Amino acid sequence: MTTLLLVRHGLTAMTGPVLAGWTPGLGLDERGRAQAAALADRIAELPLAAIVSSPLDRCVQTAEAVAAGRPGAAGAVRTDDRFGEVHYGDWTGRRIEDLAKEPLWRIVQSHPSAAVFPGADGESLAAAQHRAVAAVRDWNARIAAEHGPDALYAVCSHGDVIKAIVADALGLHLDQFQRIHADPASLTVVRYTELRPFVVRLNDTGGDVSGLVPEPPKEGDRERAGDGSGKAGLGSSDAVVGGGA
């Protein structure tokens, strides 16, 4: 039952009006650094087993703020290119208001699974989702093997990548991923169990996070978890009917 904390990077000078993509050397601005510090303070008490980041500067800087002062593996940020931003190709560095006039814009909005960004290094949104979800599965297995099945870890990534991972967790077709939102420095939490993922938080920008640490298993829970019977008790993969407490 690995718990993944998805963190979007803080604000940069380009965030919002310009599609930054893989623009090199783009770090957090003053607002983004403040956001990263506030997020780090908010989740400081969570026992993260690891902190993984997109290799882009704005994510690494956000992840480093979260890692600062943490002991062990969580104090050293590891990067994974698969969590990197979508390769927007020729759209990179262009203003959003100009891109909205392009024919491809409507496809990105209404049929994103068919969207392929132009240029030699342009990527499809479907390929970006595939690599990001594959990375999550790999890290889930690695973290569980190294730190136990109830471990928490954080990944700092980008808006479209986080939305694509959440769409997968919700069982949504990629064409629905534009219904999901991830603000700068927001926290989205997915708990992966044997049967299904649970989206625990989405686009969270404030509030208590202590409830994200899984409760210690009660006697017999491990044996019942995942048996599918629903008779002996509630397994870790079971959804509580009525919503629970």
Side-chain angles (χ1 to χ4, degrees):
M1 195 168 68
T2 309
T3 301
L4 166 62
L5 280 66
L6 287 164
V7 173
R8 187 183 170 196
H9 63 81
L11 287 165
T12 74
M14 287 187 176
T15 307
V18 176
L19 186 62
W22 283 71
T23 299
L26 179 62
L28 300 177
D29 63 14
E30 184 177 353
R31 301 167 302 164
R33 290 190 293 272
Q35 288 177 321
L39 174 65
D41 287 344
R42 192 156 69 91
I43 64 175
E45 299 305 314
L46 295 181
L48 299 179
I51 298 173
V52 188
S53 176
S54 154
L56 294 175
D57 290 348
R58 55 194 185 272
C59 281
V60 172
Q61 291 170 2
T62 303
E64 287 177 342
V66 173
R70 289 181 179 269
V77 175
R78 289 177 273 187
T79 61
D80 188 327
D81 286 358
R82 295 175 295 177
F83 291 123
E85 179 64 286
V86 178
H87 290 275
Y88 294 113
D90 293 346
W91 277 27
T92 302
R94 294 183 58 190
R95 295 188 64 82
I96 296 295
E97 63 183 6
D98 294 330
L99 294 174
K101 301 171 186 176
E102 298 278 351
L104 180 59
W105 182 264
R106 297 312 307 166
I107 297 174
V108 171
Q109 295 300 313
S110 60
H111 192 18
S113 65
V116 181
F117 293 98
D121 63 342
E123 183 179 29
S124 71
L125 283 169
Q129 182 188 46
H130 178 76
R131 64 168 162 84
V133 171
V136 168
R137 302 296 180 184
D138 288 348
W139 279 99
N140 282 352
R142 179 175 176 177
I143 295 298
E146 294 179 0
H147 301 279
D150 295 328
L152 293 81
Y153 74 106
V155 167
C156 186
S157 190
H158 307 266
D160 280 348
V161 176
I162 291 172
K163 289 162 56 178
I165 292 171
V166 172
D168 172 79
L170 290 170
L172 295 177
H173 194 281
L174 183 59
D175 285 346
Q176 309 301 323
F177 101 127
Q178 298 291 26
R179 302 184 181 195
I180 300 164
H181 199 71
D183 284 320
S186 63
L187 185 66
T188 293
V189 182
V190 184
R191 185 162 290 148
Y192 288 87
T193 74
E194 185 177 10
L195 287 182
R196 64 173 65 86
F198 292 96
V199 177
V200 180
R201 296 203 182 189
L202 182 63
N203 196 34
D204 175 17
T205 57
D208 179 60
V209 297
S210 60
L212 297 179
V213 180
E215 293 184 8
K218 297 177 182 177
E219 185 176 356
D221 279 355
R222 290 291 186 211
E223 290 74 15
R224 291 192 293 266
D227 67 2
S229 68
K231 296 179 180 179
L234 187 68
S236 64
S237 297
D238 294 331
V240 180
V241 176

